[in-house]
Amino acid sequence: KSIPITSLKDLESAVVQLGGALFLKPRAEGNSRGCTVISSLEDCKRGWNLVEKYVDGGIVAEELVTDALEFSCDSVGGVSWITAKQNSDGKYRWESKYILPAPVDELTTHKILEGGRFMASVCGSNGGAYHNEIFYKNKTDELIAVEPNLRPAGGRIWDAAKLAFRNFDPWRLWIHSMTGNKINNVKLEREYYVAFKMINAAKDGILLD
């Protein structure tokens, strides 16, 4: 469930509607900018001060998903894979770790891939690249769509895929698939697991060198 937010009053109302806590984020931003957890009514003013500058592009309050695994599903030229992700803790959330291909069993992989394909179809995909982010609650076997994107992944996930899978170049495949070239059957074969971990800066400031 999500609720559009245009004012502090809207945000306070959404906290009540969503059970006392929520996830607040801009509609038209990236790289987790402006994303924060609102944990109480008293926390609303801090959250509003953070996102107020994004009002023109839209702000949304979402149900706070807990006890779930996070994945992204990427596809290019009809070839798909999933990446396991982990967010930072605390009030400000950002993707801090990921590994691909996600080290999960075949059934979970299949469920995430099907969820990613469904999200792409709902968004009107014409068969091009997509990068869809999904929460999976394995206790209840629920998939929750977090963020649909009809574009390549950010965070150098495609570059990581080029390393992880044998003889696979997603960027070249994307160009070929979008320029009418024939795409032979491409079957992904894992050669490595590739992982990224973001490191917190020791202090605030401006990086000069």
Side-chain angles (χ1 to χ4, degrees):
K1 184 175 182 181
S2 64
I3 299 170
I5 302 296
T6 59
S7 66
L8 176 58
K9 186 176 180 181
D10 284 349
L11 179 55
E12 291 170 340
S13 176
V15 169
V16 175
Q17 292 181 60
L18 296 175
L22 54 78
F23 190 68
L24 186 66
K25 66 182 184 182
R27 285 186 184 274
E29 257 294 359
N31 296 326
S32 301
R33 284 186 291 270
C35 293
T36 188
V37 172
I38 303 298
S39 55
S40 65
L41 280 171
E42 292 72 26
D43 198 26
C44 287
K45 189 171 183 180
R46 176 197 63 82
W48 176 249
N49 289 338
L50 179 69
V51 301
E52 185 178 10
K53 61 186 175 183
Y54 299 113
V55 166
D56 290 344
I59 303 167
V60 63
E62 296 180 339
E63 177 184 354
L64 184 62
V65 178
T66 57
D67 299 321
L69 302 173
E70 185 173 359
F71 300 92
S72 64
C73 177
D74 283 275
S75 184
V76 57
V79 181
S80 304
W81 69 93
I82 67 171
T83 300
K85 297 189 170 186
Q86 184 174 325
N87 281 321
S88 60
D89 296 321
K91 292 182 183 296
Y92 304 102
R93 297 295 178 90
W94 45 279
E95 291 179 359
S96 58
K97 304 174 187 174
Y98 58 84
I99 182 171
L100 67 96
V104 295
D105 59 79
E106 288 187 15
L107 181 58
T108 301
T109 297
H110 176 73
K111 289 176 180 178
I112 304 302
L113 289 174
E114 286 300 302
R117 292 187 189 107
F118 177 74
M119 289 170 68
S121 68
V122 168
C123 293
S125 173
N126 64 357
Y130 62 77
H131 170 74
N132 293 332
E133 300 187 10
I134 297 171
F135 283 131
Y136 175 54
K137 290 191 172 186
N138 50 11
K139 290 182 180 179
T140 55
D141 200 30
E142 290 179 274
L143 291 178
I144 302 169
V146 180
E147 180 187 310
N149 298 285
L150 299 182
R151 59 160 173 80
R156 304 200 68 173
I157 285 178
W158 278 24
D159 296 322
K162 186 176 179 180
L163 295 173
F165 300 109
R166 185 171 287 117
N167 300 322
F168 179 58
D169 185 340
W171 298 104
R172 185 177 294 275
L173 182 60
W174 186 34
I175 292 170
H176 282 198
S177 66
M178 292 292 100
T179 53
N181 288 287
K182 183 179 179 181
I183 304 299
N184 296 322
N185 291 332
V186 178
K187 185 175 182 181
L188 294 181
E189 182 181 355
R190 178 178 59 81
E191 188 161 27
Y192 304 104
Y193 286 109
V194 179
F196 284 74
K197 180 177 180 180
M198 312 304 175
I199 300 173
N200 277 329
K203 59 184 180 180
D204 293 341
I206 298 173
L207 188 64
L208 297 178
D209 189 15

